[in-house]
């Protein structure tokens, strides 16, 4: 269980060393509102998922649906920030969640968690590489 924590921590430390793009105050405020709005929508959808899946007798579907929700959350951010890497991140997470829903209930958590962790790690690496090309150039 320590391996994902170590990988995530290492990626966060590594990524934090790359400067953020220079943005105007108005652009930063617009992006902040965009992220806040879509994060709120995501939060409501996640709450509803974990409240409703057990009521519908499909508690094992909650985690794959969570992956789909998080994936959907990346799509408007990809356009609004803009951050093209987020299209791939969102699409891959939606696909991972959808595929996990097709599996037996006992396999869904593992089949969702591992792929989504890898997707997010690869996205972090891609964002750092994008940042180095675009910010440091």
């Amino acid at each position: 269980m320590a391996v994902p924590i170590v990988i995530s921590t290492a990626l966060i430390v590594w990524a934090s060393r790359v400067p953020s793009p220079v943005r105007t105050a108005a652009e930063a405020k617009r992006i902040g509102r965009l992220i806040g709005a879509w994060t709120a929508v995501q939060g409501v959808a996640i709450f509803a998922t974990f409240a409703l899946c057990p009521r519908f007798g499909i508690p094992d579907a909650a985690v794959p649906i969570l992956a789909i929700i998080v994936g959907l959350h990346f799509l408007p951010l990809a356009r609004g920030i803009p951050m093209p890497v987020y299209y791939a991140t969102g699409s891959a997470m939606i696909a991972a969640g959808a595929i996990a829903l097709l599996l037996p209930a006992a396999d869904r958590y593992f089949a969702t968690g591992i792929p989504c962790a890898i997707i997010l790690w690869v996205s972090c690496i891609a964002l750092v590489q994008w940042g180095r090309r675009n910010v440091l150039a």
Side-chain angles (χ1 to χ4, degrees):
M1 288 186 55
V3 173
I5 295 169
V6 170
I7 292 170
S8 297
T9 302
L11 285 171
I12 290 167
V13 169
W14 178 63
S16 69
R17 296 181 180 187
V18 176
S20 298
V22 176
R23 302 189 195 285
T24 66
E27 182 72 0
K29 186 175 181 179
R30 184 191 65 75
I31 290 171
R33 283 193 311 267
L34 175 77
I35 292 170
W38 285 108
T39 300
V41 170
Q42 173 184 274
V44 169
I46 289 169
F47 177 80
T49 296
F50 283 95
L52 296 175
C53 281
R55 288 183 168 224
F56 289 126
I58 52 169
D60 297 300
V63 171
I65 293 171
L66 169 67
I68 293 168
I69 291 167
V70 173
L72 289 169
H73 163 261
F74 277 102
L75 300 180
L77 298 181
R79 183 167 191 249
I81 291 180
M83 192 61 63
V85 172
Y86 286 170
Y87 285 116
T89 303
S91 298
M93 290 190 73
I94 292 165
I99 290 167
L101 284 173
L102 299 174
L103 298 175
D107 298 332
R108 288 179 179 164
Y109 290 172
F110 184 80
T112 305
I114 299 297
C116 286
I118 292 168
I119 291 162
L120 292 172
W121 293 334
V122 169
S123 294
C124 179
I125 293 166
L127 287 169
V128 167
Q129 295 305 320
W130 177 88
R132 285 187 172 160
R133 282 193 309 275
N134 293 297
V135 175
L136 299 176

